[in-house]
């Protein structure tokens, strides 16, 4: 089964288009290195929680929107290889490509697929 990297971050709401362009460029690089699918979603119905929530997890400010993203890979081995190549790609050079969000508040993880309907 496939392997998925999941991401949640807070993006300044007024930088939606800048983020979309950044994500679209990164998606092409991920696909170059073996990703099968890259999905970026802009928060629309993200409730605040009392104990935990997406906004709380990324310390989302009133001027920001939660973004939920995932990358689907054919396997964990393909992900490990592809992600290593991606991290060496010039797109990851912060001197050349500024991230339009606070990467310190990005949460992410790798997930083994157990159901895919």
């Amino acid at each position: 089964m496939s392997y998925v990297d999941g991401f949640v971050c807070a993006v300044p709401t007024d930088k939606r288009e800048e983020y979309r362009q950044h994500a679209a460029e990164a998606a092409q690089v991920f696909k170059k290195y073996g990703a099968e699918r890259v999905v970026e979603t802009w928060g629309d119905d993200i409730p605040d929680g009392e104990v935990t929530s997406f906004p709380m997890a990324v310390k989302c400010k009133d001027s920001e929107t939660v973004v939920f993203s995932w990358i689907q890979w054919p396997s964990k081995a393909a992900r490990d290889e592809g992600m290593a190549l991606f991290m060496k790609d010039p797109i990851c050079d912060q001197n050349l490509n500024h991230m339009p969000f606070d990467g310190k508040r990005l949460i992410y993880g790798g997930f083994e697929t157990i159901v895919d309907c």
Side-chain angles (χ1 to χ4, degrees):
M1 284 198 145
S2 62
Y3 193 81
V4 174
D5 282 317
F7 307 87
V8 180
C9 65
V11 176
T13 302
D14 64 354
K15 292 189 177 190
R16 177 179 171 148
E17 181 56 22
E18 182 181 346
Y19 179 83
R20 190 200 63 72
Q21 290 176 2
H22 172 83
E25 290 171 13
Q28 294 308 309
V29 179
F30 279 119
K31 292 188 89 173
K32 177 171 95 172
Y33 296 130
E36 296 177 323
R37 184 175 182 207
V38 178
V39 178
E40 296 280 344
T41 62
W42 190 262
D44 179 58
D45 183 13
I46 312 294
D48 288 324
E50 291 184 27
V51 177
T52 190
S53 67
F54 281 114
M56 290 168 72
V58 295
K59 298 183 180 183
C60 193
K61 300 172 186 170
D62 290 341
S63 61
E64 297 175 322
T65 300
V66 173
V67 171
F68 175 60
S69 312
W70 68 93
I71 303 168
Q72 181 178 323
W73 303 89
S75 65
K76 185 174 188 304
R79 177 271 205 158
D80 291 347
E81 181 179 337
M83 191 61 82
L85 292 168
F86 178 84
M87 295 305 289
K88 293 177 185 174
D89 193 276
I91 199 169
C92 290
D93 184 340
Q94 286 298 300
N95 295 319
L96 300 173
N97 295 297
H98 169 73
M99 290 192 309
F101 64 95
D102 182 359
K104 293 177 185 164
R105 291 186 285 141
L106 170 75
I107 60 173
Y108 61 92
F111 300 86
E112 178 184 348
T113 301
I114 60 171
V115 174
D116 186 355
C117 296

